[in-house]
Amino acid sequence: MHRETVENRVFQASYLALLVFMLLPLFVVVVTSFSQAGRLAFPPESYSLAWYGEFFESTRWLRAFTNSILIGVGTALLASFLGVTGAFGQELDTDDSLGAILQPLVLIPLLIPPVVLGITLLMYFSEVGLRGSYASIILAHTLWATPLVYFVMRSVFSRFDWQQLDAAHDLGAGPVRSFVHVVLPNVKHGILVGALLAFIISLQEFVMALFLSTPSTTTIPVLAWTQIRQALDPMVSVVSTFLILISLGAIVIAAIATNLKWLSKQLS
């Protein structure tokens, strides 16, 4: 057996072992969500869907779930708009003066600890009358989601043929029309991936939501943390399982979108 073959197999085995190690906690969470007991235990002594039934009967958990989805969708829309327009504007900047300012500015929220952001935003939104509103949490999550969308779109725009846009302008198309009919069809898969990443970030963000939410705008991670402080029961595993499934679903959709784009390029 060649040395290169051995090294490849060792690398593949190590990668698989690392992947299993990282996914094992998710497996434990899903299994414990089917426990019939009133406390978390792995493996469960008996299995039941009772805690799932309790979740769907709980007004508090369903409200938090709805809040998380609404805030996630709002964050995805706002972050996509800011990330796409920022990346598009930088690509149109011929001397890159915009990039020298925009890129460090976009990175700043990622470098600030979430606790500091939470406290600062709490003080600010209290002053402007937005404390505890959906808008305050969406804006806070957008600070983290926008950089991801921005860098995804920078990568997407770097592979775009800008001569198509020039041709559209030469034929008399305005900025909006040329973007909608020329640029957008070529980058829509990238926008979808960025939006899904923003949604996942918002869905699982906890610290800033803890500072900014009220009982009427509490998200799933905040309510789960509150529940853990009171009692460690399988309900936490149930809601965690839902978050895992939603995140996996978003990842699958993003993977399908990117693969379809690759396949269309191969067939064209």
Side-chain angles (χ1 to χ4, degrees), residues 98-188:
L98 179 62
I101 301 174
L102 185 60
Q103 193 159 318
L105 189 64
V106 170
L107 282 172
I108 288 177
L110 297 179
L111 304 178
I112 301 176
V115 173
V116 176
L117 279 176
I119 296 175
T120 304
L121 292 175
L122 175 62
M123 297 172 59
Y124 174 74
F125 288 133
S126 297
E127 290 293 328
V128 299
L130 290 177
R131 179 184 179 183
S133 64
Y134 289 107
S136 65
I137 306 176
I138 290 173
L139 290 172
H141 288 179
T142 301
L143 289 176
W144 273 11
T146 300
L148 297 179
V149 179
Y150 170 78
F151 286 110
V152 167
M153 294 311 302
R154 285 298 310 276
S155 176
V156 172
F157 283 134
S158 67
R159 297 190 295 271
F160 176 69
D161 183 7
W162 292 98
Q163 292 182 353
Q164 298 182 33
L165 185 63
D166 295 335
H169 290 161
D170 293 339
L171 293 173
V176 176
R177 187 175 182 182
S178 59
F179 178 84
V180 172
H181 294 282
V182 177
V183 180
L184 186 59
N186 290 279
V187 302
K188 59 183 180 181

